[in-house]
Amino acid sequence: MIRLFAAALVAVFPMTARADDDAAKLLTQAEEAFKDGNFKDAATLAEKAAKADAKNPAGPFLAATAYSRLRQHEDAIKYFTVVLDRDPKAVLANDRRGDAYLKSGKWKESIADFDVFLKANPKFAPEHWRRGIALYYAGRFDDGVKQFDIHRTVNPEDVENSAWHYLCNARANTPKKAREDLIPVTKDARVPMKEVLELFAGKLKPQDVIDAAENAKLKGDALASARFYAHLYVALYYESEKDEKKALEHITIAAEKYKIGDYMWDVADAHLKALKSKK
């Protein structure tokens, strides 16, 4: 979704203070495994490094990051917590743990971690669309509107930001008010974002969004991605219209049929689990 926030977090957790040779070797091996995309091995090696050097936060940070890549969010939470126990000032771990909480459906905990990070790094507040999503799911709709308003200042041409602004506004006020305040976007060329925006504007029907994804002559991963986003935003639209049956139908398709590598798939998965838990 939206512009990659990771780009604003270029700094890697410092892998320093490797006093223990065994821990240093394990951590180096873990780093190499991570770079090669072997996240399971990276997590295992980083865990061993964390145990071998009980003070260095680098081992648990790498373990948590590897578990995040594996979508093992509870394990990621566990090891980001170890990082913060060892270095409470390592607020990047709060931000990353906030992601893991969000993807686990723990919205309040997610917001709390994001807020710790942003208190230390207020310049990143406009970038933090992920906090806006957590606010939506936590039911803090007015705050969500504000978050997506400020995200617009750094990312004005993103339909997803406009859609989440609408979703928060529709719940804080009414769908009519949300349509009146809909953030205009003209340069988001991703399929089917043009149709998603027009759906929320009241100009198209949900099936038009689905058809746009199906008729775009895409293949492979690009087609799966388009289908995922079509069903995700149709589901969210139906939720704003209080059609719980249709919302569940489309979020199920998005999360279970089109498992893609994007952050937003994890959001859809958490959304679906939250709906199922209510039954």
Side-chain angles (χ1 to χ4, degrees), residues 16-154:
T16 58
R18 300 181 184 179
D20 185 283
D21 287 342
D22 290 338
K25 290 176 182 177
L26 287 166
L27 195 53
T28 298
Q29 291 170 4
E31 291 170 349
E32 291 301 319
F34 189 91
K35 290 175 184 177
D36 291 339
N38 298 325
F39 303 122
K40 185 175 181 180
D41 289 346
T44 299
L45 289 163
E47 281 187 38
K48 292 179 179 179
K51 291 177 181 177
D53 184 348
K55 294 183 178 180
N56 191 350
F61 187 88
L62 184 53
T65 304
Y67 279 124
S68 294
R69 296 295 290 268
L70 291 166
R71 285 177 159 154
Q72 294 179 217
H73 305 307
E74 293 301 327
D75 289 317
I77 291 167
K78 173 184 174 181
Y79 280 98
F80 282 130
T81 301
V82 174
V83 173
L84 291 164
D85 288 341
R86 295 183 181 186
D87 183 1
K89 294 182 180 180
V91 294
L92 179 56
N94 286 103
D95 189 74
R96 300 291 174 82
R97 190 175 65 176
D99 283 332
Y101 276 135
L102 195 162
K103 295 172 183 179
S104 300
K106 298 177 180 178
W107 325 117
K108 292 181 180 179
E109 293 89 341
S110 176
I111 296 164
D113 261 346
F114 290 152
D115 286 350
V116 169
F117 172 77
L118 291 173
K119 184 177 180 180
N121 297 278
K123 66 181 180 180
F124 289 129
E127 297 276 359
H128 219 300
W129 54 267
R130 295 169 295 135
R131 180 176 181 272
I133 291 176
L135 289 167
Y136 172 82
Y137 285 110
R140 290 173 55 183
F141 303 118
D142 283 318
D143 290 334
V145 170
K146 294 174 184 175
Q147 183 66 56
F148 293 112
D149 270 332
I150 65 169
H151 185 67
R152 181 187 183 186
T153 65
V154 295

Side-chain angles (χ1 to χ4, degrees), residues 220-256:
D221 291 345
L223 178 57
S225 180
R227 287 169 166 170
F228 166 78
Y229 281 104
H231 285 283
L232 171 64
Y233 284 106
V234 164
L236 290 164
Y237 170 80
Y238 277 125
E239 187 166 84
S240 73
E241 295 291 311
K242 299 182 180 180
D243 189 332
E244 295 180 1
K245 183 178 179 180
K246 285 289 188 181
L248 178 60
E249 174 189 338
H250 287 279
I251 202 69
T252 300
I253 293 171
E256 294 187 350

